[in-house]
Amino acid sequence: MITLMMGAPASGKTTYIQQHRELNDLVTSSDLVRLDREIEVADAMRAFRIKGVYWAKQGESFWVDATNTFAHHRKFWRDIAKQYEMPIRVIAIHTPYHICQNRNKQREYPADMRVVRSHCHRMPQALASIEHEGYESIEVING
């Protein structure tokens, strides 16, 4: 099973995974982009995806900890699930902008506020789109 998290930065995706994953569950995360300001975004995203593809090839279940508010990002993971015959589900955390903004300010390595705002504004459209994208299950959590 591929569990695809979806939500703005600081919406609660990582916290949800920490509270719901099993001890040995695998997690690939895009947080390196936020934590290492020197890294090229494209390189970090490539490494993040390669890890997930490797696990899918091995038939391992894993969590994808990333915003996934862009349709083409979700499509990448759906294509991997299809290629390796794995079920895929979405857990979307819909958190209001002002809450994401406050949480982000408290982080040691905050995301750019323009990025937080754009993902928050994109969430309603992303939530409407996922209904038609062919997931095993969809869970929407209001954060």
Side-chain angles (χ1 to χ4, degrees):
M1 169 76 71
I2 298 173
T3 301
L4 189 64
M5 299 301 294
M6 186 174 87
S11 62
K13 299 178 303 296
T14 302
T15 300
Y16 182 92
I17 292 171
Q18 291 169 346
Q19 293 173 347
H20 293 88
R21 69 182 277 209
E22 297 295 322
L23 183 61
N24 294 321
D25 281 358
L26 302 168
V27 179
T28 187
S29 173
S30 64
D31 272 351
L32 186 58
V33 172
R34 181 176 53 83
L35 300 175
D36 184 348
R37 304 295 173 144
E38 303 296 317
I39 198 165
E40 289 290 328
V41 173
D43 292 341
M45 296 307 286
R46 191 172 12 267
F48 152 73
R49 290 185 179 125
I50 287 170
K51 197 184 302 185
V53 170
Y54 175 79
W55 292 334
K57 284 182 182 178
Q58 304 302 312
E60 298 278 358
S61 292
F62 61 95
W63 297 74
V64 178
D65 187 3
T67 56
N68 290 305
T69 61
F70 288 105
H72 66 278
H73 291 167
R74 296 188 304 273
K75 184 180 183 316
F76 173 85
W77 294 109
R78 284 196 319 276
D79 290 347
I80 295 302
K82 183 177 180 180
Q83 180 177 352
Y84 296 104
E85 300 177 353
M86 296 184 75
I88 184 168
R89 68 179 177 154
V90 171
I91 299 175
I93 303 188
H94 189 84
T95 304
Y97 172 68
H98 70 279
I99 294 174
C100 292
Q101 181 182 35
N102 288 338
R103 288 177 182 166
N104 190 54
K105 286 178 183 176
Q106 295 172 16
R107 289 175 156 177
E108 183 177 359
Y109 301 101
D112 185 301
M113 287 311 298
R114 293 170 298 190
V115 172
V116 175
R117 186 180 310 109
S118 70
H119 284 289
C120 283
H121 290 306
R122 197 175 303 109
M123 273 299 286
Q125 179 183 352
L127 288 169
S129 297
I130 61 174
E131 296 292 330
H132 311 287
E133 292 178 351
Y135 298 101
E136 196 79 17
S137 66
I138 297 169
E139 181 178 353
V140 178
I141 299 165
N142 291 311

